[in-house]
Amino acid sequence: MALPFVDRATSSLPVQFVAAPQWRSWLKEQSAPSRGWLESLGLAGAAGDFAVIPGNDGKAAGAVLVIPAEPTLWDFGALATKLPSGVWKPGDTAPLSPTDAAVAIGLGAWRFERYKAKKSKDGPKILWPQGADKARATAMIEAICLARDLITTPSSDMGPAELAAAAKTLAKKHGAKLKVTVGDDLLKQNFPMIHAVGRASARAPRLIDLTWGKANHPKVTLVGKGVCFDTGGLDLKPAAGMLNMKKDMGGAATMMAVAAMVMACKLPVRLRLLVPAVENSVSGNAFRPLDVVPTRKGISVEIGNTDAEGRLILCDALHEGASEKPTMMVDCATLTGAARVSLGTDLPALFCNNDELANGLIASGEAVTDPMWRMPLYKPYRKLLDSKVADINNVSGGTFGGAITAALYLQEFVPDDVPWAHFDMMAWNNTSRPGRPEGGEAQAARAIFATIERRVKS
């Protein structure tokens, strides 16, 4: 995606940001024609109100955007879509930092038009907000837009191989090392769960393993669920449940976005990104309900439901990631409908075995307007995953607490001495809002990045 920003221009039109409580006093200071124009539009000075202000010749002479008294970055996200063509100069973004405002403006310009013969017309060009850290803002915009592109791409063009190709491009860009284990080699390398879930597809499963940074730096491990399409397996989803399953690799895309930010900003960490990439399909060799499958950890899992496949591929990757004893390990996954029932689509559920890490993530989320909500790893529910024939079942026998039992399943594969956080997320914007167009979304990515940055710099 081309950024909407320009470094300089021979001429530009001003964009004024007016806090809602100051609207009336600001309006009184405007010229009579401008004031009459704005009043004729019915603007009441509510946050989000926007207008292009004409000059004496009837052409655009400037624009005004009303923001809340305490704005977040998203309050600036509509500029890329609301402003007409031309070159525009944003005013003072205080109290929000110009870098955050730039991130929101850039993300608001994202469009997914890969399959459209008729592309949107070029939008406005916007001068970088004065004082913005261009490199940092660009890194964040490009990383989130990468995730959005990956998630929104239909599964016909985004299978395990294509996801691995995207990781290869990312690794090459930042000088990272990449290892991809494919097909039956997963069995040879002892990743039996990833193989079991993905073997029914004509598109071979694989484990994507990216490493970057100096070996003596703090180890940070990211794990992302990469189910490129989920039919539900033999426990087949209904048509409605399958409709948007191209986004079931949203966790992987989100973790790739975090990795891209870490590498672009050159944080002093030894980064590892693990993405088990599969397609959960139906064929003669598909894994079955009540099969018992081994794991990399060595414990056996009874398959209570083939549609609970995300936790199966993650458990092998989490066990591998934990083997290096990282200073923090985070996984992201579009894991359960139960989390969406609990918290809705905009609020990822956070499960964490370490209060310091959890508090840091929550604080970062609040600081960068990337919210989450902590939910409990409630140990008494672990018995719901007991199996009579294996060490553990991948689902509970009941219908309640599904997000918690899924997280408890994952916790079985993470030692207590490894600080670990698990995000259960939607990874999708159902509607378009300022800075957040409808489509794939890297929820919690900026919060995770901010947490890593703060931990290594503290």
Side-chain angles (χ1 to χ4, degrees), residues 125-368:
K125 296 299 180 183
I126 301 172
L127 287 163
W128 282 97
Q130 187 172 2
D133 184 333
K134 299 176 187 178
R136 182 182 179 88
T138 298
M140 300 188 79
I141 295 166
E142 289 183 344
I144 301 252
C145 289
L146 167 65
R148 289 175 173 181
D149 285 344
L150 294 175
I151 298 168
T152 311
T153 300
S155 297
S156 53
D157 290 321
M158 187 50 61
E162 289 80 8
L163 194 58
K168 182 178 181 180
T169 299
L170 186 64
K172 184 177 180 180
K173 179 178 180 179
H174 296 286
K177 296 179 181 178
L178 187 72
K179 176 183 178 182
V180 182
T181 306
V182 183
D184 289 345
D185 284 345
L186 290 165
L187 294 176
K188 296 176 183 178
Q189 298 296 322
N190 192 27
F191 294 101
M193 271 298 185
I194 302 172
H195 182 273
V197 173
R199 71 191 183 206
S201 174
R203 307 159 93 177
R206 60 205 67 208
L207 177 66
I208 301 163
D209 188 348
L210 178 150
T211 55
W212 174 89
K214 295 181 179 179
N216 62 340
H217 282 165
K219 292 183 174 68
V220 173
T221 299
L222 309 175
V223 181
K225 173 187 170 184
V227 178
C228 295
F229 193 82
D230 182 19
T231 66
L234 292 176
D235 287 310
L236 196 68
K237 292 178 183 288
M242 210 183 299
L243 187 61
N244 209 17
M245 281 299 100
K246 69 177 184 179
K247 76 172 185 65
D248 212 18
M249 38 63 69
T254 299
M255 292 286 84
M256 289 173 67
V258 176
M261 286 186 264
V262 167
M263 293 187 289
C265 293
K266 296 180 170 54
L267 296 190
V269 300
R270 193 277 197 174
L271 177 71
R272 190 176 189 189
L273 169 68
L274 292 165
V275 174
V278 304
E279 186 172 56
N280 188 20
S281 298
V282 176
S283 72
N285 68 337
F287 73 121
R288 295 165 287 263
L290 301 189
D291 277 357
V292 175
V293 184
T295 65
R296 184 172 183 81
K297 182 179 178 179
I299 65 173
S300 59
V301 179
E302 183 181 19
I303 306 301
N305 192 308
T306 64
D307 195 21
E309 84 299 328
R311 67 198 71 178
L312 297 176
I313 63 171
L314 285 172
C315 74
D316 274 358
L318 285 171
H319 183 71
E320 169 58 23
S323 68
E324 293 187 314
K325 300 295 182 183
T327 59
M328 63 177 284
M329 181 166 68
V330 182
D331 80 76
C332 285
T334 51
L335 205 64
T336 69
R340 308 288 71 75
V341 172
S342 299
L343 301 176
T345 58
D346 292 343
L347 199 58
L350 165 66
F351 296 86
C352 192
N353 68 354
N354 181 281
D355 288 343
E356 181 183 357
L357 176 57
N359 293 337
L361 286 163
I362 292 168
S364 294
E366 291 176 351
V368 302

